[in-house]
Amino acid sequence: MEKIHSLTGMMDLIGQRNNKTQIADRIFLTEKILRNIFQNYSLSEIRTPALEDENLFKRSVGDSSDIVNKELYSFLDKNDKSIVLRPEGTAGVIRSIIEKKIDGDNHKLWYLGAMWRYERPQKGRFRQFYQAGVEILGYEEGIAELEMMSLICSINRELDIKNSVIKINHLGNKDCKKSFCKDLIDYLKPMSAELDKKDLDRLNQNPLRILDSKNPETQNILKDAPVIADYLPQESKDLLELIKDTFSNDCDISIDYKLVRGLDYYTGLVFEAVSEELGAQDAYLGGGRYDELCSQLGGKSLPAIGMAIGIERLASLVNIPENNKTLISFIILSSKIEQKTYKIAHNLRLLNNKINIDIQLSEGSLKSKLRRANKDNASYALIIGEEELKSNTVIVKPLLDENSEQSIMDLNELDDFVKSLT
Ligand code: HAM
């Protein structure tokens, strides 16, 4: 029969017992460590639905953005309502806060979940991907910016991310954004014949995004264009310097006045963490301040700053030492005695939760089960056959040290032995 395949750009993630050469295991481990870091920063978890009203993203991420314009997974439901698979998490979080009428309070939130964008798949770019996001709500520009940068530095440190640069920029206030955009348009208009269709669209819809163009000809034209640094109020420049000063002993932070983000809702600080190890899709995290989104979506005026991490990209960069938790491979040699033997294994698990116990569930010879234990890097094999069960003993075979002999222990000795393992 014809086989059914997964959809283009969508990955199955199947764990293979902490095998860090596998992207799935790297992703699961990365998520686990991120959850711990979020807890350390005293953030609360929020989970919003994967499906949302299409208008939510039109009014937040923006009609002119690629994400909404070209990449939305949108369809009509059975009631002819236009719904979408969320392309990002921020808009849903703010919708939820408004709906619950808690948009007048402060919140420090994190989330983790799948997002969907109908992009052309390539290395590091998928149609279904995972994001871990953080949204700090209710705090004016200032300390929240430092908290966000501190969090990013902690993530880099704890996951031992090498060759990371955190690019930061400021989009200034409304007036400066307006006059910068006007001067940028005035500069580019006479050269519009030299722009490709994508950049021409950007010029008409959201001129700031031209700065982000990947076209070398556009970048060449931009060499003499006005730069946002000349329009920024001093306090915005001071903030960028303050961030650099505060964290530069821990992270590589660089001010990049050309950094603009692909979503329309940003108003102040914007940032992206990039690594050259990722290739063309080099950003593994991005975010910024978005003080107007809540009121734009019908809520109160709620200052906000947030970021989202691309889990697949971050996971491919992590350098985490081997998990050296002791693994015991429990080998049962007869199916007749499984239940009684299983009780022994269960009790061992109660005695010491710092070690991992893998009960080999499959049928097979001792040889094949020992081969499997060695492959899994188990420290010990515990072997029980009918003989051992009759005499209330277990064979303990050390696997990592070739010079150690196997021994026979009675069940009390076994308890003490397992308790002593770390
Ligand atoms: P974003 O820059 O669109 O921001 O996405 C954040 C990260 O998600 C990117 O840096 C990248 O690592 C990852 N990412 C995006 N698209 C893909 C894809 N197709 N495949 C794999 N990874 C991808 C946001 O989504 C904002 N909501 C961030 C934010 C939160 N701003 C404020 N709060």
Side-chain angles (χ1 to χ4, degrees), residues 340-354:
K340 229 169 151 192
T341 324
Y342 197 92
K343 240 181 145 176
I344 298 173
H346 182 70
N347 286 338
L348 295 184
R349 284 183 167 141
L350 300 182
L351 288 177
N352 187 348
N353 63 9
K354 287 202 246 7

Side-chain angles (χ1 to χ4, degrees), residues 4-16:
I4 299 171
H5 299 280
S6 66
L7 301 177
T8 307
M10 308 210 177
M11 263 200 285
D12 294 310
L13 298 175
I14 304 176
Q16 296 199 346

Side-chain angles (χ1 to χ4, degrees), residues 67 88-90 111 117 119 124-126 129 131 134-135 261 263 265-266 283-288 290 306-310 312-313:
I67 296 176
E88 59 100 58
T90 311
Y111 52 86
R117 295 184 191 177
E119 299 196 76
R125 192 160 76 183
F126 309 98
F129 58 98
Q131 278 190 348
V134 172
E135 313 293 349
R261 306 254 310 123
L263 304 89
Y265 48 61
Y266 295 111
Y284 61 91
L285 162 174
Y290 54 98
M307 63 130 173
I309 301 163
E312 292 81 357
R313 294 185 195 174

Side-chain angles (χ1 to χ4, degrees), residues 11-17 19 22-25 28:
M11 263 200 285
D12 294 310
L13 298 175
I14 304 176
Q16 296 199 346
R17 306 159 154 266
N19 175 354
Q22 294 282 326
I23 187 66
D25 286 296
F28 300 147

